[in-house]
Structure formats: structure tokens, C-alpha cells
């Protein structure tokens, strides 16, 4: 307002130039120009202040929005803190239970390995007077495997157990009866020489299965092995140990295997062990 008054006065003064000296006129003219420049400077400052005010208002709105979001997140965290604590406690409990389960499995496996080794050593001692080519005993993948040659057990192409095999089967049966917590799997195996007959056995499938069940019956009826512990069957020529291209290889493939292992239900119990809650 003061600026405009100065301008008005200056205008009046200019209008009165005829009443003043040239020196006074020049002074007033210079003052007028300075006022004009000052007005322009003040207007620029006003525009800059308006821009700054607009920017600050936008920044304030953004900060307010961020504040509201942070407050909402904090409220949610405080609300869920009890649930999170419970979940962490549950997770720690499950980890501890899993560690206990792993230790239990390791202990059970170590116990089974020890029992299998003791069983294997006992079998080897009881059969030490039998030719190695006729009987082989070994522990494989947690089970004890006894491999009996066909020439010791049967006549060629036949499945009836020879009397000479009774002694060996009797020693095997004694160990089986001593370890009454184990199951017994008996498998007959043949070479790939074709067998064709109108009577039993008709082929290698029949021969292998009949040989397996024949040994099972001897163990049951003559040496008192509980038949509920026995599973018997045949694998024909499809589980060879050696090549069928040689005489010795075919002889090795013609075998009956007695596999002694933890009872199936005991094994399943071990597999069904779950971490304690």
C-alpha cells in the first residue's frame, strides 16, 4: 500500500514538472524507477514463497500419510505379538521333538545293526563246516542273507529238498528260533535255462516258487519254525547274481535265499514313530 502511495505521489510530482526544477525532477524520476524495481522484486518473492508453501504442504501430507501407515502397522504388531510368541514356542517345541525323533531312529538303527551282526556271526560259526560254495552268509542293507546252492538242496529240475540238506537247514532253523523277533523270507531263484513240462514244475517261475515253499515247509514241520514268521516265493531267472553266459554263473544263480530281518510289523512301528507333541 505504501508503494502505491509513493507511485501516486510520484505521478503527481511528474504532473507538476512545470512547477519544479530539473534537478528535483531527476531525483523524483530516479525514485520512481527504483520503486518500480522494488515492486517487481517483491512480486517475485511472493511467488517463490507461494511455491515453497505449496511444496511444504505436499510434504506435510506425505509425512502424515506415512505416520498413519506406521501407526497402523504398529497397532497390528502389538495385536499379533501374543500369537507370534505362541507360534515361536510351538516351532521350538517341534524342533526339539524332531531332534529327539532323530536320536531315537539312530539308536534303533544302531541296535538293529548290532543284532544283525551278532546273528550273522552266530550263523557263520554254526555253518563253518559247510563248503563256502554251498552256503554264503552276509549282512546286506540291514538284513542277514543266507544263500544256499541248488545242488545241496535239490536234484536238477526238482524242488524236493534232499535229505543231505537237513543238517544245514536244521542249523539255520536253530538260529532263526533263537531270534524269534525276526521274520524269515525264503526266495527261490533259477538260471535262464528254459524249463518246459506238462507237469509241475512247468517253467522257471514254478520251479523257483516250489523250491522256496519246500524249504519253508521243512523249517516249519521238521525244525519248529513258526510259519507265521515265514514268507516264501520265487523270483524265477529275474534276480541273477552272475552272468548266465558261463557254467559257474548259472550255478551261482540257481540258489535259494533265506533272508532274516526284523518283523514287518516291528519295522512299520519304527517307521510310524512320530515326534512327541
Amino acid at each position: 500500500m505504501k508503494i502505491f502511495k509513493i507511485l501516486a505521489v510520484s505521478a503527481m510530482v511528474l504532473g507538476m514538472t512545470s512547477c519544479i526544477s530539473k534537478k528535483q525532477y531527476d531525483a523524483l524520476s530516479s525514485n520512481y524507477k527504483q520503486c518500480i524495481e522494488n515492486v517487481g522484486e517483491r512480486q517475485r518473492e511472493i511467488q517463490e514463497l507461494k511455491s515453497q508453501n505449496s511444496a511444504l504442504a505436499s510434504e506435510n501430507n506425505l509425512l502424515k500419510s506415512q505416520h498413519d501407515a506406521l501407526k497402523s502397522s504398529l497397532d497390528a504388531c502389538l495385536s499379533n505379538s501374543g500369537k507370534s510368541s505362541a507360534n515361536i514356542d510351538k516351532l521350538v517345541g517341534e524342533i526339539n521333538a524332531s531332534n529327539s525323533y532323530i536320536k531315537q531312529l539312530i539308536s534303533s538303527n544302531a541296535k538293529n545293526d548290532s543284532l544283525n551282526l551278532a546273528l550273522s556271526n552266530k550263523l557263520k560259526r554254526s555253518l563253518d563246516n559247510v563248503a563256502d560254495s554251498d552256503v554264503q552268509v552276509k549282512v546286506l542293507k540291514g538284513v542277514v542273507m543266507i544263500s544256499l546252492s541248488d545242488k545241496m538242496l535239490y536234484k536238477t529240475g526238482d524242488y524236493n529238498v534232499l535229505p543231505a540238506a537237513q543238517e544245514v537247514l536244521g542249523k539255520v532253523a536253530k538260529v532263526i528260533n533263537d531270534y524269534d523277533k525276526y521274520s524269515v523270507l525264503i526266495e527261490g531263484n533259477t538260471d535262464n535255462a528254459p524249463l518246459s513240462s506238462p507237469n509241475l514244475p512247468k517253467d522257471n517261475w514254478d520251479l523257483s516258487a516250489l523250491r522256496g515253499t519246500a524249504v519253508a515247509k521243512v523249517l516249519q514241520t521238521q525244525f519248529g519254525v513258526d510259519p507265521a514268521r515265514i514268507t516264501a516265493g520265487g523270483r524265477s531267472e529275474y534276480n541273477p547274481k552272475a552272468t548266465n553266459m558261463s557254467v559257474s554263473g548259472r550255478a551261482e544263480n540257481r540258489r535259494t535265499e533265506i533272508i532274516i530281518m526284523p518283523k514287518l510289523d516291528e519295522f512299520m512301528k519304527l517307521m510310524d514313530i512320530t515326534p512327541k507333541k
Side-chain angles (χ1 to χ4, degrees), residues 56-71:
L56 289 172
S58 297
E59 185 176 351
N60 181 64
N61 291 334
L62 179 60
L63 290 172
K64 186 177 182 302
S65 176
Q66 291 176 344
H67 171 268
D68 292 341
L70 288 172
K71 185 176 182 302

Side-chain angles (χ1 to χ4, degrees), residues 127-141:
L127 299 171
D128 60 0
N129 64 333
V130 182
D132 290 341
S133 60
D134 291 333
V135 179
Q136 296 178 5
V137 180
K138 62 181 178 180
V139 177
L140 181 65
K141 294 183 179 179

Side-chain angles (χ1 to χ4, degrees), residues 213-255:
T213 54
V215 171
K217 290 175 183 177
V218 170
L219 294 177
Q220 174 191 352
T221 59
Q222 297 189 31
F223 301 108
V225 176
D226 183 0
R229 298 172 57 193
I230 301 175
T231 301
R235 302 189 69 177
S236 187
E237 63 195 69
Y238 302 107
N239 186 35
K241 291 178 65 178
T243 176
N244 282 301
M245 301 299 292
S246 66
V247 174
S248 60
R250 289 194 297 274
E252 189 173 356
N253 291 334
R254 295 190 301 270
R255 69 197 186 279

Side-chain angles (χ1 to χ4, degrees), residues 135-186:
V135 179
Q136 296 178 5
V137 180
K138 62 181 178 180
V139 177
L140 181 65
K141 294 183 179 179
V143 300
V144 177
M145 302 184 67
I146 309 164
S147 183
L148 307 174
S149 67
D150 76 319
K151 68 177 183 178
M152 183 186 70
L153 292 174
Y154 327 97
K155 293 180 180 179
T156 302
D158 193 14
Y159 57 89
N160 293 297
V161 178
L162 295 171
Q166 301 291 324
E167 181 182 358
V168 172
L169 291 179
K171 292 179 178 180
V172 172
K174 184 178 185 308
V175 176
I176 291 173
N177 286 330
D178 288 344
Y179 288 79
D180 58 355
K181 299 298 183 183
Y182 280 63
S183 293
V184 181
L185 173 63
I186 304 172

Side-chain angles (χ1 to χ4, degrees), residues 83-96:
K83 296 179 182 178
S84 299
S85 178
N87 289 337
I88 291 173
D89 291 341
K90 182 179 179 182
L91 180 59
V92 171
E94 289 178 351
I95 291 173
N96 291 335

